[in-house]
Amino acid sequence: APRVLSGIQPTADSFHLGNYLGALRQWVSLQDTHETFYCVVDLHAITVEHDPELLRRRTRVSAAQLIAMGVDPGRATLFVQSHVPEHAELAWVLGCLTGFGEASRMTQFKDKSSKQGTSATSVGLFTYPVLQAADILLYTPEPGTAVLRVPVGEDQRQHLELTRTLAQRFNHRFGETFVAPEAHIPEGAAKITDLQEPDAKMSKSASSPQGIIDVLEEPGPMRKKIMRAVTDTGSEVVYDEEKKAGVTNLLRIYSALDGTPVPDLEAKYAGSGYGQFKKDLAEVVLGTFTPIRERTAALLDDPAELDRILEKGAERAGAVAARTMETVRERVGFVGRG
Ligand code: ATP
Ligand code: MG
């Protein structure tokens, strides 16, 4: 089966609805058709200032949420990035193949560093895309035999392009080693916007608490937030991205979670106003997230078992990564350790 590699940063106490509909739900369905590697990228999470205890907790909470959502550690290789030291090792090698100017053109770095100022910006944030390239290329299939697909949102396209460039450059200099990965735009992935600012994307770092639907949110606050979501002038529940961005976002969420096509929802709520629509939407969201919240809590109740699952994942990922690194060391010209 073709391989898939994807990662998510443990940078919040909960994933949100945008992460779920835009990425994580596809992680689950890709398990049926692909050999999947899913990784909680804690090395990436320290490229900005962080709190050590918070990072440790969020890494476990992230892994627990992924399992609770349906990532099956029996089928998928689920692991923590720092457990496989080859990620950092390959990043060093690839960093030596990356031009300074080339790295300077990465727009995510420009955005994040301009918000922080140069003295607060770390070299790690600058080389973030190189580490991401290493994350991906470590799981390269045998050249010529298969493809490596990487589910990415629009924001990560430039980094994937750099990964392809580095794979080709390495191959050109040192011999055919890496298969250039392909972007995988998941079917049915929806872009979800902020509940309070329907023109901006729902985001862990940029959205206000009122704008985000967290997967682990309690039912009471969840219902309130959805009832208070910004809607538009008029009272009809109709899909119109330009004139009714708020209602349109809610319709998209409802349809994506419940499977009812948008026109059927418009017909169902014709004449009943926003209130009933939002009430029902809250129940649909809770129907999806309540079991995930409960399973996450149960998994976190037994951290030793969770750590064992992650250890097994790291063993499987580590075996693949070690093989790739062995080839890389040999090709680059390092003396073998005997
Ligand atoms: P941050 O604000 O820290 O960048 P984020 O909310 O963008 O956090 P990420 O961890 O960067 O979340 O993204 C994880 C995955 O979720 C990525 O594949 C990304 O494309 C997807 N994603 C993030 N936000 C949304 C959204 N609003 N709608 C759909 N997909 C999203
Ligand atoms: Mg993001």
Side-chain angles (χ1 to χ4, degrees), residues 10 13 27 29 36 83 114 126 152 195-196 276 301 329-330:
D13 288 322
W27 286 23
S29 54
T36 48
H83 290 178
S114 69
F126 185 64
V152 278
L195 296 187
Q196 293 301 318
Q276 189 59 45
D301 263 347
R329 287 192 208 102
E330 202 271 320

Side-chain angles (χ1 to χ4, degrees), residues 14 25 44 58 64 70 126 134 172 189 251 263 302 307 311 331:
S14 171
R25 196 165 69 156
H44 285 279
R58 288 173 168 177
F126 185 64
H172 185 71
L251 274 167
D302 190 353
D307 287 358
E311 191 189 336
R331 300 262 155 100

Side-chain angles (χ1 to χ4, degrees), residues 166-291:
L166 292 175
Q168 283 150 2
R169 192 172 298 157
F170 187 100
N171 290 348
H172 185 71
R173 288 236 201 127
F174 303 117
E176 211 54 35
T177 307
F178 296 120
V179 173
E182 290 165 16
H184 175 81
I185 308 299
E187 218 175 291
K191 185 182 163 202
I192 304 304
T193 60
D194 186 301
L195 296 187
Q196 293 301 318
E197 292 175 63
D199 294 319
K201 98 173 184 97
M202 188 178 286
S203 145
K204 281 186 243 143
S205 56
S207 292
S208 70
Q210 289 306 312
I212 293 197
I213 296 179
D214 277 335
V215 174
L216 301 182
E217 186 110 52
E218 296 289 332
M222 175 89 86
R223 287 197 182 91
K224 260 195 204 138
K225 248 186 218 188
I226 291 172
M227 295 311 290
R228 286 181 191 157
V230 166
T231 28
D232 316 276
T233 48
S235 59
E236 280 107 278
V237 178
V238 290
Y239 192 97
D240 181 339
E241 285 197 57
E242 298 204 340
K243 296 198 194 98
K244 284 175 164 278
V247 177
T248 296
N249 189 42
L250 300 182
L251 274 167
R252 205 180 278 139
I253 294 169
Y254 198 139
S255 176
L257 290 178
D258 176 71
T260 309
V262 168
D264 295 5
L265 291 173
E266 291 173 326
K268 180 173 174 190
Y269 292 101
S272 69
Y274 294 146
Q276 189 59 45
F277 169 62
K278 285 175 161 179
K279 242 186 223 158
D280 292 352
L281 172 62
E283 297 319 308
V284 167
V285 172
L286 284 168
T288 305
F289 285 170
T290 301

Side-chain angles (χ1 to χ4, degrees), residues 1-5 29-37 75 139-142 145-149:
R3 277 188 184 165
V4 158
L5 180 288
S29 54
L30 282 166
Q31 295 176 120
D32 299 332
T33 48
H34 290 72
E35 182 188 5
T36 48
F37 293 85
R75 290 190 291 159
Y139 302 94
T140 201
E142 295 289 309
T145 61
V147 292
L148 177 64
R149 299 201 171 112

